[in-house]
Amino acid sequence: MANTTVRGAVAIHGQNPQYLVESVIRNRIYESAFWKEHCFALTAETIIDKTIELKAIGGVYGNQKPTEFLCLLLKLLQIQPEKEILLEYLQADEFKYLRALAVMYIRMTFRPVDVYELLEPLLKDYRKLRYRGMGGYSIIHMDEYVDQLLTEERVCDLILPRITKRDVLEDLGDIGPRKSRLLDAMEGKSEHGSDRSRSRSRSTDRSAGSRSPSAHSRIPSRSHSRGRSANHGSKSPSSPGSRYVSRSRSHSRSGSGSPYRSRSRSISPDRTNGSGGGSPGRFRSRSRSISPDRMDTTG
């Protein structure tokens, strides 16, 4: 009685759900020690604990021995859990082997439209899975495993039921076009690049507009400063009431014709304190000069 399908099970693809597994592999599963010891009286709840303990997925290995993964898959086909329970299996992100088992069951039992709608989002899952086959252990990823279920006829040494191709379903209007993450990423990058180019062009226009008035404003400032300097330089040194100190080096020559240099700070008559008037003002001489008769006292 342990190998019979549960009562009230619905026929899948017109046959008993257990018959989806080939008879040779099914008989080997019935004879395996794992099936007899761990798969007896399992339910939709208790099978979760056994699935979490899985270390690998796969078909047959060694001397055509079935893996534990195949044994639990056959048990799911035997008890035929409800669709809501399978969706809960599928959404368990922390248990990747439970998700892998649910993915295989959905591919074998669900309608093609539901298969594409439920499995295609899992192509974003890149976690590693350990696969056990005739050649030993190997590493595959979840997205590779899902892609194999959608495109290939044999996975884990099981012949999968035929599935309608996606192009046909799109032509019939049963399913919408597939959304590609790569295409969305490329479109997002192109939009982001165009936004950046627009912002750069706007910033260059703004900087050019801000530079142009400053360039024009420099011209009058220069002319204004030049005008000030010109006006300042045009002041007459002989204006009355203004004092000018001359620090120029003047060469004073005495009557004897000897060239002696005089470094004097003199005040011109125009710079005296007297304001206009008749008599010339007093003259100061702050020079340090040496007369010719003091140059040579020994001669």
Side-chain angles (χ1 to χ4, degrees):
M1 298 297 293
N3 299 336
T4 58
T5 308
V6 68
R7 290 184 179 180
V10 180
I12 299 175
H13 303 294
Q15 59 182 350
N16 190 327
Q18 290 192 79
Y19 295 166
L20 294 175
V21 180
E22 300 174 19
S23 60
V24 176
I25 297 177
R26 186 171 67 249
N27 293 329
R28 290 184 181 274
I29 292 174
Y30 292 154
E31 296 173 0
S32 65
F34 183 82
W35 175 266
K36 295 176 182 179
E37 295 177 6
H38 300 282
C39 296
F40 179 78
L42 285 180
T43 62
E45 296 179 2
T46 57
I47 198 174
I48 296 175
D49 298 331
K50 297 296 180 181
T51 308
I52 293 173
E53 296 175 359
L54 287 178
K55 302 299 182 182
I57 63 173
V60 294
Y61 67 96
N63 190 15
Q64 297 294 321
K65 294 181 180 180
T67 58
E68 298 175 359
F69 179 78
L70 283 185
C71 297
L72 294 176
L73 177 62
L74 183 62
K75 193 63 181 181
L76 273 183
L77 293 171
Q78 190 179 46
I79 62 178
Q80 201 176 41
E82 298 178 358
K83 183 178 180 179
E84 290 77 10
I85 297 176
L86 291 169
L87 294 180
E88 291 296 329
Y89 293 169
L90 201 64
Q91 295 174 2
D93 296 337
E94 61 274 17
F95 306 121
K96 56 183 179 181
Y97 289 105
L98 180 62
R99 171 176 284 186
L101 183 64
V103 165
M104 175 66 85
Y105 183 86
I106 290 173
R107 170 63 180 87
M108 297 179 70
T109 59
F110 279 30
R111 297 184 307 114
V113 176
D114 297 333
V115 170
Y116 286 112
E117 291 179 351
L118 293 175
L119 299 191
E120 283 181 350
L122 300 181
L123 294 173
K124 304 175 185 178
D125 193 350
Y126 307 118
R127 289 180 294 180
K128 294 181 180 180
L129 296 173
R130 184 180 295 175
Y131 181 85
R132 187 175 188 181
M134 296 297 294
Y137 288 98
S138 61
I139 297 298
I140 63 172
H141 297 81
M142 181 68 77
D143 59 328
E144 298 177 25
Y145 173 63
V146 174
D147 185 69
Q148 290 176 5
L149 292 174
L150 294 176
T151 57
E152 298 182 6
E153 296 181 355
R154 180 182 287 267
V155 178
C156 294
D157 297 325
L158 295 179
I159 298 177
L160 300 177
R162 294 184 179 272
I163 185 172
T164 308
K165 292 188 177 181
R166 183 179 177 84
D167 298 338
V168 178
L169 295 176
E170 290 181 5
D171 295 338
L172 296 175
D174 295 336
I175 192 172
R178 179 179 175 181
K179 296 181 180 179
S180 175
R181 290 191 66 193
L182 181 60
L183 183 60
D184 295 340
M186 293 177 64
E187 290 178 354
K189 288 182 180 179
S190 61
E191 292 177 0
H192 184 64
S194 61
D195 294 339
R196 291 180 63 183
S197 61
R198 291 176 184 175
S199 61
R200 287 180 180 177
S201 61
R202 290 177 182 175
S203 61
T204 51
D205 294 340
R206 289 178 182 176
S207 61
S210 62
R211 289 177 182 175
S212 57
S214 63
H216 291 294
S217 62
R218 291 177 184 175
I219 298 174
S221 64
R222 291 180 180 177
S223 62
H224 185 64
S225 61
R226 290 177 181 176
R228 285 185 177 180
S229 61
N231 294 332
H232 182 71
S234 63
K235 288 183 179 180
S236 173
S238 63
S239 60
S242 63
R243 299 179 63 185
Y244 296 92
V245 179
S246 174
R247 295 184 182 181
S248 62
R249 294 183 180 182
S250 60
H251 296 278
S252 63
R253 296 181 181 179
S254 60
S256 61
S258 59
Y260 295 100
R261 185 176 296 176
S262 173
R263 299 180 179 177
S264 62
R265 296 179 63 190
S266 60
I267 303 175
S268 62
D270 299 335
R271 302 171 189 171
T272 58
N273 293 331
S275 61
S279 63
R282 298 174 63 184
F283 301 96
R284 295 180 186 179
S285 175
R286 296 181 182 179
S287 62
R288 297 177 62 186
S289 60
I290 302 174
S291 59
D293 52 354
R294 292 182 183 181
M295 292 297 298
D296 190 8
T297 57
T298 60

